[in-house]
Amino acid sequence: TGSLAKNKRSTNYASKECGAKVLGSNPEAENVKHILTSNRDEYMINPCKASKKWFVIELCEPVHISHFEVATYELFSSQPKTFKISLSDRYPTKEWTNIGEFTATEERIPQTFEVKEGYVVQFVKVEMIDHYGTEHFCPLTSFKSFGVPVEYDEYGHRQHEGSDEDNDNDMDEILLRNGDTNEESDTHKNLFET
């Protein structure tokens, strides 16, 4: 699980490279897909006066979300301050699980926000509530989401299907088949024997 703990910190499931997509946003938003790339010179842009600034991302696979990261590097613009994060396991939906409002600082650096463990999610809705500054535009350079793939539990242990007893019975059945002595089963034992 050591490499999985590292994976929990390093795999961005809101990345264009892994197949994440922007599914929707407010109509005033431009270049929304740029928040999924790692290029610091490309960004989503919104007029700060837009009454509702939001977007929905489909992560590249369902994950136990652990934290997310936002960044704005653009100079001469207002920066997002407070934003609300909601999660869902399906889209479209009217039922989002609100996990809270988060406040970023007025720094042009990646800012990380921890999420309470236990949420399995594939869709993330971000609503930008207010901003720092008085500039006309409110850009967002990147949004990243980190966690553990669903094939693992939230603590990084691989999930097993069925009980251990079922797995033991399956192994007994395989051993019995391999121990058969009739000619038909011998032809199927090992395809790589010479």
Side-chain angles (χ1 to χ4, degrees):
T1 58
S3 64
L4 186 61
K6 182 182 177 194
N7 183 43
K8 189 173 181 178
R9 284 268 166 220
S10 63
T11 302
N12 172 17
Y13 292 95
S15 167
K16 180 182 173 184
E17 287 79 22
C18 76
K21 296 177 264 193
V22 174
L23 299 178
S25 66
N26 59 294
E28 300 90 350
E30 295 178 25
N31 304 317
V32 183
K33 66 182 182 191
H34 290 315
I35 60 174
L36 303 180
T37 68
S38 56
N39 186 337
R40 291 176 146 204
D41 295 326
E42 296 179 330
Y43 46 86
M44 174 186 81
I45 194 161
N46 257 309
C48 294
K49 67 179 181 180
S51 61
K52 292 186 178 185
K53 296 177 280 300
W54 61 273
F55 56 88
V56 173
I57 294 175
E58 178 181 8
L59 303 179
C60 49
E61 68 179 279
V63 297
H64 296 275
I65 192 166
S66 62
H67 63 286
F68 59 90
E69 180 185 288
V70 297
T72 298
Y73 302 109
E74 188 61 21
L75 300 173
F76 311 111
S77 63
S78 294
Q79 287 190 262
K81 180 178 180 182
T82 310
F83 48 95
K84 180 172 128 180
I85 303 285
S86 303
L87 309 174
S88 179
D89 60 350
R90 64 182 58 91
Y91 184 85
T93 184
K94 291 183 180 182
E95 297 178 23
W96 291 93
T97 301
N98 177 5
I99 62 166
E101 290 186 6
F102 300 87
T103 303
T105 64
E106 197 175 1
E107 297 176 87
R108 286 178 165 72
I109 59 170
Q111 298 181 49
T112 302
F113 301 90
E114 300 293 322
V115 175
K116 182 178 94 175
E117 297 285 342
Y119 293 106
V120 174
V121 59
Q122 185 155 14
F123 303 95
V124 179
K125 182 177 184 181
V126 179
E127 299 172 67
M128 292 171 282
I129 297 169
D130 57 7
H131 57 275
Y132 293 103
T134 58
E135 300 292 336
H136 180 71
F137 288 112
C138 288
L140 183 65
T141 306
S142 70
F143 179 87
K144 297 178 180 182
S145 180
F146 301 89
V148 178
V150 170
E151 70 226 33
Y152 295 90
D153 66 19
E154 62 192 278
Y155 305 105
H157 302 105
R158 185 176 289 281
Q159 295 184 15
H160 299 283
E161 295 205 13
S163 68
D164 289 340
E165 195 173 290
D166 289 342
N167 292 338
D168 290 343
N169 290 340
D170 292 345
M171 186 54 79
D172 290 343
E173 187 179 316
I174 291 168
L175 291 172
L176 262 175
R177 269 186 288 161
N178 287 340
D180 285 348
T181 55
N182 69 33
E183 269 181 49
E184 187 178 311
S185 66
D186 282 344
T187 61
H188 298 292
K189 277 186 185 173
N190 187 348
L191 297 175
F192 299 103
E193 279 185 7
T194 53

